[in-house]
């Protein structure tokens, strides 16, 4: 028999054939849409995140409802907190009348089917700008975890569907699960930031919330970006402690980490395309140097291809619109 030439291009020969053999496609349902919220009536633009806003409660509800109508059925909310409400122990983080509980209630009232995810960490409320309590320059673990439990309970009480600890303290997933269960919130889920790396890609986010550390960096709790196997250790612990979903953050430069967690865990894997990733695409597109839509779709498809079941992205609503 004569050896026929291999012609892999036959599977790429037309849009129809490519549609048949495509392995990964994005859907609006894949996304959690991160939204910023602030006090007052103004929806304010964010310099370092063009196209994103710090929403008023009214603006937040409108934006989330529009996203929901496009098929993005989940949001995660982050507060910009006034400096006057910040202190060493982040007491405002578990105030039942605080901005986040009010935002949860407003969202659930307007759109009961919307999945509301909240960030559990102290940095927006902490005068030191760290995710935990700072004592003598150290981020103290166990005292922080106790406050995180109060914060998660406050969010659960207000109606959050999923609480999402982004702080990277040891043992917090188990502590949150126990606190939620003991208070009767067995159905509130935990989406753990399992492999959250100490990353310079978070810069624009910290600018948006005014939450950058006043001193030092986050390297004693967020992971060293030179490490892979450590993500497996964190995933095993989070799974044992009761996480429902585990997250990799950032996403684009950490596709190997997403792949690794997909192999070692049976939990759904989330990945966060963070503010710096957003800004790099957005600023290059605004300068006319990149095709925004094409690069956004490519970057998000790559994150899903690596194994992400859930993607947090500031582009979520745009993408849902494009997919319509
Ligand atoms: C804080 C938190 C951060 C982000 C989400 N939650 C910043 C940080 O850890 O310093 C970053 C999100 C982004 O950059 O888009 N716990």
């Amino acid at each position: 028999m004569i050896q026929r030439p291999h012609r892999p291009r036959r599977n790429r020969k037309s849009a129809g054939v490519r549609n048949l053999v495509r392995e990964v496609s994005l859907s609006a349902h894949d996304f959690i849409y991160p939204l910023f919220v602030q006090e007052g009536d103004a929806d304010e633009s964010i310099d370092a995140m063009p196209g994103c806003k710090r929403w008023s409660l009214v603006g937040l509800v409108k934006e989330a409802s529009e996203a929901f109508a496009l098929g993005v059925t989940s949001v995660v909310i982050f507060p910009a907190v006034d400096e006057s409400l910040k202190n060493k122990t982040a007491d405002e983080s578990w105030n039942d009348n605080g901005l986040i509980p009010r935002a949860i209630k407003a969202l659930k009232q307007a759109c009961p089917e919307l999945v509301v995810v909240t960030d559990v960490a102290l940095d927006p409320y902490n005068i030191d700008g760290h995710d935990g309590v700072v004592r003598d320059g150290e981020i103290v673990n166990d005292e922080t975890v106790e406050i995180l439990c109060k914060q998660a309970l406050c969010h659960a009480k207000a109606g959050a569907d999923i609480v999402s600890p982004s702080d990277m303290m040891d043992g917090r997933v188990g502590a949150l699960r126990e606190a939620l269960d003991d208070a009767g919130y067995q159905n509130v889920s935990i989406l753990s930031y399992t492999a959250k790396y100490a990353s310079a890609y978070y810069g624009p986010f910290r600018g948006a919330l005014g939450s950058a550390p006043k001193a030092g960096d986050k390297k004693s709790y967020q992971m060293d970006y030179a490490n892979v196997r450590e993500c497996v250790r964190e995933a095993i612990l989070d799974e044992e402690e009761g996480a429902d979903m585990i997250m990799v953050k950032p996403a684009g430069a950490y596709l190997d980490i997403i792949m690794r967690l997909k192999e070692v865990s049976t939990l759904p894997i989330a990945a966060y395309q963070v503010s710096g990733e957003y800004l790099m695409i957005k600023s290059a597109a605004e300068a006319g140097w990149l095709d925004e839509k094409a690069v956004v779709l490519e970057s998000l498809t790559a994150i899903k291809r690596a194994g992400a079941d859930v993607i947090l992205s500031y582009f979520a609503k745009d993408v849902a619109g494009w997919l319509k």
Side-chain angles (χ1 to χ4, degrees):
M1 206 171 79
I2 18 159
Q3 182 64 43
R4 303 280 167 194
H6 291 285
R7 293 196 185 277
R9 287 183 56 194
R10 275 196 292 264
N11 282 346
R12 303 173 208 141
K13 70 184 171 188
S14 66
V17 171
R18 289 193 294 276
N19 286 344
L20 280 179
V21 303
R22 184 166 301 116
E23 297 174 45
V24 171
S25 348
L26 293 171
S27 146
H29 293 346
D30 298 333
F31 292 99
I32 299 177
Y33 186 26
L35 292 167
F36 302 106
V37 58
Q38 66 179 10
E39 294 287 356
D41 300 327
D43 301 321
E44 212 177 328
S45 302
I46 301 170
D47 289 344
M49 298 183 69
C52 292
K53 288 193 170 146
R54 276 181 299 266
W55 298 100
S56 63
L57 283 183
V58 172
L60 175 78
V61 168
K62 183 163 176 284
E63 181 70 5
S65 305
E66 285 174 16
F68 188 88
L70 289 167
V72 179
T73 47
S74 305
V75 297
V76 58
I77 50 177
F78 297 99
V81 177
D82 195 85
E83 281 294 313
S84 67
L85 293 173
K86 300 184 183 184
N87 66 7
K88 291 289 286 182
T89 46
D91 297 344
E92 181 63 17
S93 66
W94 48 280
N95 174 1
D96 287 332
N97 300 312
L99 181 56
I100 287 294
R102 278 180 283 127
I104 298 166
K105 286 178 198 155
L107 288 167
K108 285 305 233 181
Q109 192 175 13
C111 196
E113 301 296 314
L114 180 74
V115 176
V116 176
V117 184
T118 61
D119 195 66
V120 172
L122 305 187
D123 50 319
Y125 308 94
N126 179 326
I127 195 79
D128 297 299
H130 276 285
D131 294 36
V133 174
V134 183
R135 291 215 189 286
D136 303 323
E138 196 194 323
I139 317 301
V140 294
N141 196 91
D142 299 3
E143 185 181 342
T144 298
V145 171
E146 282 176 32
I147 305 171
L148 296 173
C149 288
K150 293 184 192 174
Q151 184 180 23
L153 282 178
C154 161
H155 296 172
K157 226 185 288 175
D161 298 284
I162 302 179
V163 294
S164 190
S166 70
D167 55 288
M168 290 302 281
M169 296 300 119
D170 291 334
R172 92 280 208 210
V173 171
L176 290 183
R177 188 67 272 157
E178 190 181 322
L180 290 166
D181 287 354
D182 287 353
Y185 297 109
Q186 291 88 352
N187 293 332
V188 171
S189 320
I190 299 177
L191 164 55
S192 175
Y193 286 68
T194 293
K196 179 173 181 178
Y197 285 86
S199 171
Y201 286 96
Y202 308 150
F205 173 99
R206 294 179 191 167
L209 295 185
S211 64
K214 300 268 163 63
D217 54 40
K218 299 194 174 185
K219 290 181 183 165
S220 76
Y221 47 108
Q222 299 180 349
M223 286 167 55
D224 182 344
Y225 59 69
N227 293 350
V228 181
R229 293 167 63 242
E230 200 177 352
C231 81
V232 178
R233 185 177 188 200
E234 289 285 359
I236 290 169
L237 292 174
D238 281 0
E239 206 161 318
E240 268 176 22
E241 290 178 32
D244 298 286
M245 306 176 200
I246 57 179
M247 194 196 300
V248 175
K249 180 185 175 191
Y254 295 75
L255 299 182
D256 56 329
I257 309 297
I258 298 173
M259 265 185 84
R260 190 59 172 265
L261 286 193
K262 188 75 167 200
E263 283 163 13
V264 301
S265 178
T266 56
L267 293 178
I269 310 293
Y272 197 148
Q273 183 184 52
V274 299
S275 57
E277 299 177 73
Y278 173 84
L279 179 64
M280 289 195 306
I281 296 174
K282 205 74 187 173
S283 50
E286 279 186 7
W289 291 330
L290 279 182
D291 177 339
E292 177 172 345
K293 180 176 166 182
V295 173
V296 169
L297 291 173
E298 183 176 336
S299 66
L300 294 168
T301 303
I303 291 166
K304 186 163 177 180
R305 190 190 64 222
D309 303 290
V310 176
I311 304 172
L312 293 83
S313 171
Y314 301 98
F315 291 114
K317 188 180 169 211
D318 291 341
V319 171
W322 298 334
L323 295 175
K324 273 262 139 134

